[in-house]
């Protein structure tokens, strides 16, 4: 890690392992000795790529050799204790948001073709240390296919593409102050406002999954950043966050995204993305922690896509999750209150904060409460019926 963020990764990774939490480290920012930034650059020097891509490949090799599952010859290791094969990481992500290239703050200050050279060096370094460890490209800022499809369009000298060499397609998405169901732009990408409004988040998810199924059906898609700020330029209230975060996750899982990561665990500073924590800075729990936990408990164990159920009201979103005999319906509405108007038979109902109805009863006319402006109403009830 670039100084001053030197941390005890052994301890951090080990703590997560004790809690049965898998770790996806991403490797980016360039230390001064390897940096390609001109001498007169004062801001964001670490965002510049290395002068030599092989230096990045070596850094990835050393990381994966230590924390991957394969023992490596000690003569190749630069760590003083020569440890390898600790088995504390399950995948590695190579850089972060390389399509954001602003010189003063961008994660990768350079052309995308240069990133692909760095990516290949990192892939080869990882494979050399642990051939079985899944490798992810950097999480793209945004999920539009114009961005992601570059993985299949760029050709190396040997004719291979980045998509040929990776295991995981990695994307990020934020909807800012808008609702994910109808948002047609990403404020993390278009930071000066929408240059245009394209497909909505659900439409982009469907297009991304279809593109993956066509070009590399064996690859997984991981949405490694999604969340909602509280305060700041793209933030809403804590109550709005509590309604919105689980919905963004469910939309992704329903479309066929294999894994979703919430940004972020802790943070309540009123600045872009710094206020997106499920916990506040002091560690206290926000409402979004509870609604997200409810979603996890209700949907735990389901694999694969969910089916959106037809409804006369386009503002009602309802999905059927099914695995053998177990069936769950997750449902919410936008804008105004509405009737669920689905015959669920004998069902129990759990609201978004985990309160379950007593006994079994019919909920054909269950009401869904909309997430109105913050001064009028709090979060939506994401009613989930477990039949």
């Amino acid at each position: 890690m670039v100084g001053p963020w030197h941390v005890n990764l052994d301890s951090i990774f080990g703590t997560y392992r004790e809690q049965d939490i898998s770790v996806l480290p991403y490797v980016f920012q360039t230390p001064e000795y390897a940096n390609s930034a001109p001498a007169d650059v004062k801001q964001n020097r670490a965002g510049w790529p290395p002068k030599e891509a092989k230096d990045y490949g070596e850094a990835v090799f050393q990381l994966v050799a230590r924390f991957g599952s394969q023992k490596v010859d000690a003569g190749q290791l630069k760590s003083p204790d020569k440890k390898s094969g600790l088995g504390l990481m399950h995948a590695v992500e190579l850089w972060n948001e390389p399509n954001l290239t602003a010189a003063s703050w961008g994660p990768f200050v350079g052309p995308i073709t240069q990133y692909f050279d760095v990516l290949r060096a990192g892939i080869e370094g990882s494979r050399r240390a642990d051939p079985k460890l899944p490798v992810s490209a950097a999480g793209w800022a945004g999920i539009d296919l114009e961005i992601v499809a570059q993985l299949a369009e760029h050709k190396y000298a040997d004719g291979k593409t980045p998509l040929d060499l990776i295991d995981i397609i990695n994307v990020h998405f934020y909807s800012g102050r808008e609702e994910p169901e109808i948002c047609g732009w990403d404020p993390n990408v278009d930071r000066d406002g929408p240059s245009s409004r394209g497909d909505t988040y659900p439409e982009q998810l469907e297009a991304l999954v279809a593109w993956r199924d066509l070009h590399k059906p064996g690859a997984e898609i991981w949405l490694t950043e999604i969340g909602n700020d509280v305060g700041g330029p793209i933030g809403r209230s804590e109550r709005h966050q509590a309604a919105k975060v689980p919905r963004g996750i469910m939309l992704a899982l329903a479309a066929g995204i294999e894994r979703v990561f919430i940004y972020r665990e802790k943070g309540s500073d009123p600045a872009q993305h710094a206020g997106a924590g499920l916990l506040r800075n002091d560690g206290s729990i926000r409402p979004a922690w509870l609604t997200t936990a409810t979603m996890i408990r209700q949907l735990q164990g389901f694999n694969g896509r969910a089916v959106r159920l037809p409804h006369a009201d386009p503002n009602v979103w309802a999905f059927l999750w099914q695995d053998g005999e177990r069936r769950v319906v997750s449902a919410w509405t936008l804008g105004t209150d509405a009737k669920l108007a689905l015959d669920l038979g004998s069902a129990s109902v759990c609201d978004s904060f985990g309160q379950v109805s007593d006994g079994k009863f019919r909920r054909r006319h269950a009401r869904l409460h909309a997430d109105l402006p913050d001064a009028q109403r709090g979060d939506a009830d994401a009613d989930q019926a477990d039949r």
Side-chain angles (χ1 to χ4, degrees), residues 102-132:
S104 60
W105 58 266
F108 192 91
V109 186
I112 202 65
T113 52
Q114 189 173 9
Y115 165 67
F116 286 135
D117 289 340
V118 171
L119 172 65
R120 179 145 194 184
I123 293 169
E124 292 173 351
S126 180
R127 302 294 192 207
R128 185 160 57 95
D130 185 349
K132 296 182 179 180

Side-chain angles (χ1 to χ4, degrees), residues 45-61:
R45 291 185 62 85
W48 288 70
K51 294 189 292 287
E52 301 287 342
K54 63 181 178 63
D55 290 336
Y56 181 76
E58 180 62 23
V60 174
F61 169 79

Side-chain angles (χ1 to χ4, degrees), residues 142-224:
I143 59 177
D144 192 285
L145 281 184
E146 288 188 9
I147 299 171
V148 182
Q150 295 175 97
L151 289 169
E153 295 166 351
H154 180 79
K155 291 287 183 68
Y156 294 113
D158 60 3
K160 293 183 178 179
T161 69
L163 187 63
D164 293 329
L165 302 176
I166 61 172
D167 305 298
I168 300 161
I169 300 163
N170 192 328
V171 293
H172 300 164
F173 180 79
Y174 295 92
S175 57
R177 296 183 59 81
E178 299 192 24
E179 307 301 343
E181 295 84 356
I182 57 177
C183 184
W185 70 292
D186 187 327
N188 189 40
V189 181
D190 298 313
R191 298 198 173 200
D192 296 325
S195 54
S196 63
R197 289 184 176 270
D199 291 341
T200 64
Y201 170 58
E203 291 169 337
Q204 289 186 43
L205 289 168
E206 294 287 352
L208 177 60
V209 171
W211 179 85
R212 182 276 311 276
D213 292 346
L214 177 64
H215 292 279
K216 192 167 184 178
E220 291 194 351
I221 303 174
W222 291 10
L223 178 61
T224 58

Side-chain angles (χ1 to χ4, degrees), residues 26-28 93-99 107-108 115 138-139 172 225:
Y26 61 96
V27 188
F28 85 125
E93 179 179 345
L94 303 179
W95 216 269
N96 178 61
E97 298 186 336
N99 55 313
F108 192 91
Y115 165 67
H172 300 164
E225 282 190 28

